[in-house]
Amino acid sequence: MDLFSRSWAALRTAVAELPDEDFARPSGCTGWLVRDLVCHLVIDAQDVLITLVTPTSAEPTRDAVTYWAVTDTPPAGDDPLDALTVRLAAAYEEPRLLKFHLDDVGSAAGRAAGLADPGQRVSTQEMVLTTGDYLCAYVLEWTLHHLDLIAHLPGAAGPPAEGLARSRVMLEEIAGAAFPATWSDQDALRIGTGRRAPTAAERAELGPSAGRLPLVLG
């Protein structure tokens, strides 16, 4: 629960500190500018709020790792929902409006997470998880999107080290194999999820595992 809060607070702070001109720069998400990614974060925050107030007595069907649907096809940026996000982001017109909405809804999602019972079961996308597992899954979401946010913004602050480390562990569990110990957590997450291609040397380090990458999470 604490790691969710720290990862989410760090991501929101990074957005709040961006100068206006950075919102028109590309993000690490294919086909999305930084403003599109920030709009997606607003939608994510709404999803967190909705899920936390959707309790259920059903038995859990997923945990923080099995929550993720995994494919091997990277997004092309032309999915209808992705296109809708782009149109919504453009409608804000001014970065300050996006910043305000993310701070408003995002702060509420953070408060709700802090008040939640980690053992309570919640329902989302036809899955049942404990609140603790649901919020743990979002540590990976926040961390990956924080990396997306700063992909072309070298001066922006990165995600917390503990969030990177936990996200790497979860991605390795999803992959069913560990990434090379010589890799940084950021490299493991970016290469593992297809956010950048491995170099020839990195591919050699991966060995047989290279054929299972990238892991595209949805």
Side-chain angles (χ1 to χ4, degrees):
M1 305 283 275
D2 287 345
L3 192 49
F4 170 95
S5 296
R6 289 196 296 274
S7 299
W8 186 218
L11 178 51
R12 286 166 24 233
T13 298
V15 171
E17 292 176 348
L18 291 179
D20 285 0
E21 58 267 24
D22 283 351
F23 279 71
R25 299 186 191 278
S27 76
C29 296
T30 302
W32 278 3
L33 302 176
V34 166
R35 72 182 186 189
D36 306 323
L37 173 59
V38 174
C39 185
H40 172 74
L41 295 178
V42 172
I43 296 169
D44 266 354
Q46 292 171 339
D47 286 345
V48 169
L49 282 168
I50 291 167
T51 300
L52 292 179
V53 293
T54 310
T56 179
S57 58
E59 289 296 317
T61 58
R62 305 288 180 90
D63 59 23
V65 172
T66 58
Y67 167 85
W68 296 99
V70 183
T71 72
D72 58 1
T73 305
D78 55 0
D79 178 89
L81 185 56
D82 290 347
L84 175 61
T85 300
V86 171
R87 292 197 297 273
L88 285 172
Y92 280 89
E93 296 186 351
E94 298 180 34
R96 66 179 179 83
L97 299 177
L98 254 179
K99 285 183 178 181
F100 173 80
H101 200 182
L102 179 62
D103 180 64
D104 191 33
V105 181
S107 295
R111 290 192 298 273
L115 294 170
D117 174 0
Q120 172 67 56
R121 299 163 191 168
V122 291
S123 176
T124 181
Q125 302 176 61
E126 300 183 345
M127 297 180 284
V128 176
L129 303 90
T130 65
T131 298
D133 272 329
Y134 174 71
L135 295 178
C136 186
Y138 259 85
V139 172
L140 179 54
E141 174 86 355
W142 301 148
T143 301
L144 289 174
H145 281 327
H146 200 144
L147 293 176
D148 292 331
L149 181 76
I150 66 172
H152 302 284
L153 305 174
E162 60 270 31
L164 286 165
R166 178 59 187 144
S167 295
R168 177 182 185 150
V169 169
M170 284 193 282
L171 189 62
E172 288 177 336
E173 289 183 44
I174 293 168
F179 296 110
T182 55
W183 290 11
S184 70
D185 293 336
Q186 287 198 27
D187 284 338
L189 291 168
R190 284 187 165 126
I191 295 170
T193 59
R195 281 164 165 81
R196 81 164 174 85
T199 64
E202 289 167 337
R203 183 169 290 278
E205 285 185 282
L206 279 168
S209 298
R212 296 202 295 269
L213 300 180
L215 301 169
V216 180
L217 308 182

